[in-house]
Amino acid sequence: MQGQDWIERAGELFEAAMFGGDTSALDRSDDVLDAVEAPLSMARGKVLHVRFLNDREENGEELALFERAAELYERLGDVSGEADALFWVGCWHQVVKGDGATGRPYFERSYALAKSVDDRMTMSYAIRHLGFADRDAGHFDRARERLTESVALRREIGFKPGEAAGLVALAYLAAETEDPSVAFHLLDEAESVAESCGAKAVLGWIDQARTHFRS
């Protein structure tokens, strides 16, 4: 059902309750409206997150939107939606606030929920950011395992921009812990994948990484 269809359905249930005396329609309308509000909250939160990445100006509404979405998806019994929302709650703590320790349990719960319904896209995000948390904590082998799993999941589902981004993350880790030649090899691989899908932003990240590694 599309967004407009949900709104129309809510209107029908309102009339059934208001004029038809069907009080059960009120409970049914709650579910309909939750199904509209949850993805809208997610979409607004993601827009605010990208704005933060662009201008580094924190907006507290971002967290509230993701928390609201998680609550609504749980109420609706939408496991995949809840997993996605919980990931973004964790991302807010880790990326916006620089607090990976607080973000970690959200990523862990997100990954577990997503795995239970074979949502490999959300799994790839959650395990990626668990890898970042491990890297920041100095657990480099575990970080590499998790970042590698994220890339593998993204390859499985054909998410090429995400695959390229994952290879860039592995390159940074390699530059920090291994022979620098490994990092440049990973960047070459990331560039090939990014070019194949027109991921211009990722190509910019690759250029930045090469400059950083050579400095």
Side-chain angles (χ1 to χ4, degrees):
M1 191 178 290
Q2 300 298 314
Q4 186 59 40
D5 294 333
W6 285 116
I7 297 297
E8 290 177 0
R9 178 58 178 155
E12 292 170 359
L13 289 168
F14 158 75
E15 292 190 0
M18 183 73 178
F19 304 114
D22 181 2
T23 56
S24 68
L26 296 175
D27 292 334
R28 283 179 281 143
S29 67
D30 285 338
D31 288 342
V32 169
L33 293 171
D34 287 349
V36 175
E37 185 182 352
L40 180 60
S41 294
M42 286 292 294
R44 288 191 182 280
K46 289 179 181 179
V47 167
L48 290 179
H49 188 76
V50 176
R51 284 181 175 153
F52 168 79
L53 294 178
N54 289 337
D55 59 30
R56 295 292 161 174
E57 292 185 10
E58 179 184 330
N59 186 328
E61 186 181 358
E62 179 186 333
L63 176 61
L65 286 164
F66 291 140
E67 288 179 333
R68 177 61 173 163
E71 174 189 346
L72 292 169
Y73 279 127
E74 182 181 20
R75 185 186 302 169
L76 290 165
D78 185 335
V79 175
S80 184
E82 184 184 359
D84 189 24
L86 288 172
F87 162 75
W88 285 101
V89 172
C91 195
W92 186 87
H93 287 290
Q94 184 186 62
V95 177
V96 178
K97 303 301 290 184
D99 185 356
T102 299
R104 180 184 291 275
Y106 292 102
F107 299 141
E108 290 172 340
R109 178 61 175 160
S110 171
Y111 181 84
L113 286 173
K115 188 173 184 179
S116 74
V117 292
D118 195 30
D119 178 355
R120 286 176 283 175
M121 176 69 84
T122 299
M123 287 170 64
S124 80
Y125 274 102
I127 201 70
R128 168 182 168 87
H129 282 257
L130 280 169
F132 291 153
D134 285 331
R135 179 203 62 197
D136 293 343
H139 303 310
F140 298 122
D141 288 342
R142 188 63 183 272
R144 187 176 299 104
E145 290 174 5
R146 286 176 155 164
L147 293 174
T148 299
E149 180 182 344
S150 177
V151 170
L153 286 164
R154 290 172 173 191
R155 280 180 180 150
E156 289 173 7
I157 61 177
F159 180 30
K160 286 186 173 295
E163 178 187 345
L167 290 167
V168 173
L170 279 169
Y172 273 102
L173 184 62
E176 187 175 357
T177 63
E178 300 181 53
D179 185 326
S181 64
V182 175
F184 283 106
H185 174 75
L186 287 163
L187 288 181
D188 289 342
E189 187 178 357
E191 184 175 28
S192 177
V193 175
E195 286 179 342
S196 74
C197 62
K200 294 180 179 179
V202 180
L203 288 170
W205 303 345
I206 293 166
D207 288 340
Q208 290 172 8
R210 284 203 172 101
T211 299
H212 177 72
F213 296 164
R214 291 190 180 107
S215 62

